[in-house]
Amino acid sequence: MLFHVRMDVNIPYDLPPAEATEILAREKAYSQELQRSGKWRHIWRIAGEYANYSVFDVKDNAELHEILSGLPLFKFMHIEVSPLLRHPSSIRDDDT
């Protein structure tokens, strides 16, 4: 199942810099591992915002929830999820 996910990040200003740096490093490693596995198929930064649009390819809602709640930045995020399905007017044989 494909899901479009918007993630807005709001790291508190009073978070100690060393802690923020450590969380960001774990976030990068976690997201890159998911990208290599094919679960996190696309990630696009939204220009001018600390936010991204991503596309996940997961088994079901529960797997997506597990992945998103496992993000080290999860507690600092606002997340919006939209399920996706193939459009009947698409001319592509696949979605790559």
Side-chain angles (χ1 to χ4, degrees), residues 27-96:
E27 179 81 9
K28 184 174 183 176
Y30 182 75
S31 71
Q32 289 182 341
E33 177 185 325
L34 287 164
Q35 289 173 66
R36 282 189 280 277
S37 77
K39 300 279 183 193
W40 195 328
R41 292 185 51 179
H42 298 276
I43 181 169
W44 297 92
R45 174 159 283 172
I46 301 172
E49 300 181 34
Y50 193 176
N52 72 73
Y53 287 123
S54 292
V55 175
F56 288 84
D57 188 358
V58 293
K59 181 178 63 177
D60 54 26
N61 295 352
E63 184 179 21
L64 180 64
H65 180 76
E66 182 178 330
I67 287 171
L68 295 177
S69 61
L71 289 165
L73 287 172
F74 180 75
K75 64 182 176 182
F76 305 124
M77 290 181 165
H78 173 76
I79 298 174
E80 295 177 9
V81 175
S82 300
L84 300 173
L85 61 140
R86 185 172 173 75
H87 196 284
S89 297
S90 176
I91 61 170
R92 297 184 186 273
D93 291 333
D94 60 24
D95 63 351
T96 58

Side-chain angles (χ1 to χ4, degrees), residues 9-17 20 50 76:
V9 180
N10 259 319
I11 297 175
Y13 291 111
D14 60 348
L15 188 69
Y50 193 176
F76 305 124

